[in-house]
Amino acid sequence: MDRYSFSLTTFAPNGKLVQIEHALAAVGNGSTSVGIKAANGVVIATEKKTGSSLVDVSSLEHMAKVCDSIGMVYSGMGPDFRVLVNSARKIAQTYIRTYKEDPPVRILVKELAGIMQEFTQSGGVRPFGVSLLLAGVDDRGPNLYQVDPSGSYFPWKATAIGKNMVNSKTFLEKRFNGDMELEDAVHTAILTLKEGIEGQMTEESIDIGIIHTSLAAQDTSAMPAFKRLTTAEIKDYLSNII
């Protein structure tokens, strides 16, 4: 097996591309991220981990806004995430310039997954060491997608990636309800992260992003907007839970 582990474009005898397995291991070493699709929106949340207490956590960005109606979060390698955020924003802006509206979530996900897949069959490159959760609202309603280093992508009702993925998914399977409102989904996301977080959970140690469908329901000319919660808003949620 070892002689195949350094080649991205050569299959091992068992049918695996070993470098993709290594990329998934990098994802598994990353911060836990959670996504939940509610009846009226989507929430994504992640733990903000640092290697030292001296790091200014307010400067860390584990979550990004791609366009008005789509946001994304990652588990894995931060530098790889920055590259994919830039790619996603270029894809979104190209679509907006052509069609004068935000891209459907599935279109953006497909294009982004295509970029990640190219890095699994080209010489001189390596797979991206991140998995992504993309949250957005389009003509099909709320959407939650996961994209893996292989370029595979899946729609989810609720999922988790990163270090505590297995336990988080088990927790979500017990707590998820397809009829839950966005407020309940935010609380569930926080509780899911709390199950595996090391130390005390504070408003500085997690990041939460939401997108709500109610704006479009009230005004058909308005589009739902992805929003990262402020530390004050996260503190309010934590005060109701902890």
Side-chain angles (χ1 to χ4, degrees), residues 77-93:
M77 301 178 65
D80 288 12
F81 176 65
R82 291 200 303 269
V83 173
L84 290 171
V85 168
N86 288 337
S87 297
R89 286 172 174 166
K90 288 178 181 177
I91 293 167
Q93 289 304 313

Side-chain angles (χ1 to χ4, degrees), residues 18-210:
V18 184
Q19 284 297 311
I20 293 179
E21 300 291 313
H22 296 337
L24 288 169
V27 173
N29 291 331
S31 302
T32 304
S33 298
V34 177
I36 302 174
K37 183 174 74 170
N40 60 337
V42 188
V43 56
I44 49 178
T46 187
E47 177 187 358
K48 294 198 289 188
K49 292 176 63 176
T50 64
S52 170
S53 60
L54 301 178
V55 175
D56 181 6
V57 293
S58 64
S59 66
L60 301 179
E61 288 197 359
H62 287 72
M63 191 175 294
K65 183 177 180 179
V66 177
C67 58
D68 287 342
S69 60
I70 302 174
M72 60 194 285
V73 68
Y74 81 100
S75 290
M77 301 178 65
D80 288 12
F81 176 65
R82 291 200 303 269
V83 173
L84 290 171
V85 168
N86 288 337
S87 297
R89 286 172 174 166
K90 288 178 181 177
I91 293 167
Q93 289 304 313
T94 299
Y95 190 96
I96 292 169
R97 194 169 57 209
T98 304
Y99 299 103
K100 313 303 180 187
E101 63 181 15
D102 286 355
V105 183
R106 64 189 181 279
I107 298 297
L108 180 69
V109 168
K110 182 179 179 181
E111 293 291 329
L112 197 58
I115 293 173
M116 296 176 74
Q117 193 277 334
E118 286 180 10
F119 278 71
T120 68
Q121 62 177 37
S122 303
V125 299
R126 63 162 175 79
F128 288 96
V130 292
S131 284
L132 307 172
L133 295 180
L134 288 96
V137 173
D138 56 26
D139 57 347
R140 294 187 177 185
N143 292 269
L144 174 66
Y145 281 86
Q146 176 180 334
V147 188
D148 288 333
S150 63
S152 301
Y153 62 93
F154 312 93
W156 288 85
K157 297 177 182 177
T159 189
I161 54 177
K163 189 173 184 178
N164 200 43
M165 174 188 70
V166 176
N167 292 334
S168 296
K169 281 188 175 181
T170 301
F171 184 84
L172 286 170
E173 287 171 358
K174 296 176 181 177
R175 295 293 297 260
F176 177 77
N177 180 344
D179 296 326
M180 69 167 53
E181 296 291 312
L182 186 59
E183 287 291 305
D184 295 330
V186 173
H187 285 99
T188 302
I190 293 173
L191 288 171
T192 305
L193 290 179
K194 188 173 181 291
E195 286 290 303
I197 201 167
E198 298 175 2
Q200 184 179 3
M201 177 183 281
T202 69
E203 65 273 16
E204 299 288 348
S205 63
I206 60 173
D207 206 354
I208 301 174
I210 61 172

